Amino acid sequence: MIAGISIYEILTVTSALFFIGVYGFITRKNLISILMSIELILNASVINFVVINKYLYPDMLQGVFFSIFIIAVAAAETALAVAIIINLYRQIASVEVKDTEIMKY
Amino acid sequence: MEKYIFYILSLIIIVFAIASVTSKKMLRSVIYLLFVLCGIAGIYFLIDYNFLAAIQLTVYGGGIIVLIIFSVVLVHHIEMELELARRSKQILVALICLLGLGVFLTTIYTHPFNVIENSVSTTTEDIGFGLLSYEKGGFILPFEVISVLLLASMIGSIVIAKGKKLTDKNETE
């Protein structure tokens, strides 16, 4: 654990990061920017897993395993999302949310 | 000493995260995201999880950022300005997010965490043994499932990104 830093301060930082991600997710109009906001949200939750593991249950490693899995799933999700965005750009020449209608049915 | 490093890192994380979600230029916003991810890797180094910090730097800093930069370069002009939401909507969303942050923080600060003072150091060996152990509490099954998921998503993204050409060829055969 970090000397002189309580768990509350780290959780404050991660909560702020999470809500910055939510703000970006709602206000952005571009698919790639929304993807980046999702990365922020996922990272905030990963830090929470690691910190709670380290501060409350230091002799276990479950938090670390879960964060590794979250990072792997995030990588897979980003690869798929980028593929979908590029394919969409080929078909409608735009990555704005308001133009994205062809995947609805 | 570690205290001040943590404060500097969290300042970097918060400032660059805000810059990343409000910047009008697409590529700049990706680079700000890279700074945020590097700051998070620094926090992992501080709490003595070197393996996780290395994963964060290689997968996020090396893989995902490059992937996003590629997609930005492929679908945007570098100098293109992003369309932002209306001012009133921005303020409304910011207020709602602050409200949610307040709820989170009051919940966190009123909850008594049962913190155990420790200086346990985790080696990569422990993580490897835990991931591959098939005894009680082992993670071998999720580990294998994740590898199948990565393979499936890799094939899926190739098929999706290849798009029409693949299906056209199949139809003519």
Side-chain angles (χ1 to χ4, degrees), chain A residues 5-15 51 55, chain B residues 6 105 107-115:
Chain A
I5 298 288
S6 70
I7 190 170
Y8 295 102
E9 290 164 83
I10 306 182
L11 291 184
T12 310
V13 174
T14 55
S15 311
V51 164
Y55 273 74
Chain B
F6 174 77
L105 288 186
T107 318
I108 287 169
Y109 277 91
T110 50
H111 186 272
F113 284 105
N114 192 7
V115 176

Side-chain angles (χ1 to χ4, degrees), chain B:
Chain B
M1 186 61 200
E2 285 174 328
K3 203 172 166 179
Y4 298 109
I5 295 176
F6 174 77
Y7 286 137
I8 292 169
L9 279 179
S10 40
L11 193 72
I12 288 174
I13 289 174
I14 298 295
V15 168
F16 280 111
I18 293 175
S20 169
V21 297
T22 52
S23 168
K24 267 188 173 178
K25 297 234 170 99
M26 193 66 222
L27 206 56
R28 279 187 200 176
S29 132
V30 181
I31 299 301
Y32 294 146
L33 182 70
L34 175 65
F35 286 137
V36 174
L37 297 174
C38 290
I40 290 170
I43 285 188
Y44 293 154
F45 274 123
L46 269 187
I47 27 181
D48 203 17
Y49 279 138
N50 297 329
F51 180 63
L52 209 55
I55 287 186
Q56 173 86 9
L57 282 179
T58 49
V59 174
Y60 271 108
I64 291 181
I65 290 292
V66 171
L67 209 60
I68 295 179
I69 286 180
F70 259 110
S71 62
V72 169
V73 172
L74 282 176
V75 304
H76 280 289
H77 299 290
I78 295 280
E79 291 299 319
M80 199 188 84
E81 304 244 316
L82 286 177
E83 185 190 344
L84 287 181
R86 282 193 314 275
R87 197 84 202 159
S88 56
K89 194 185 170 191
Q90 277 181 19
I91 293 170
L92 183 68
V93 174
L95 280 179
I96 292 173
C97 284
L98 281 180
L99 190 73
L101 186 62
V103 172
F104 268 39
L105 288 186
T106 45
T107 318
I108 287 169
Y109 277 91
T110 50
H111 186 272
F113 284 105
N114 192 7
V115 176
I116 301 167
E117 293 288 330
N118 67 88
S119 55
V120 182
S121 181
T122 311
T123 57
T124 312
E125 199 186 353
D126 298 334
I127 297 176
F129 274 123
L131 267 181
L132 290 180
S133 109
Y134 46 82
E135 286 151 17
K136 192 163 178 282
F139 274 77
I140 181 92
L141 182 66
F143 186 74
E144 295 298 327
V145 170
I146 279 289
S147 54
V148 174
L149 174 83
L150 282 176
L151 180 69
S153 77
M154 203 161 73
I155 297 172
S157 28
I158 291 171
V159 171
I160 292 174
K162 244 193 150 188
K164 252 188 166 173
K165 271 181 199 162
L166 203 71
T167 50
D168 277 349
K169 202 180 171 189
N170 287 347
E171 277 164 15
T172 51
E173 275 173 2

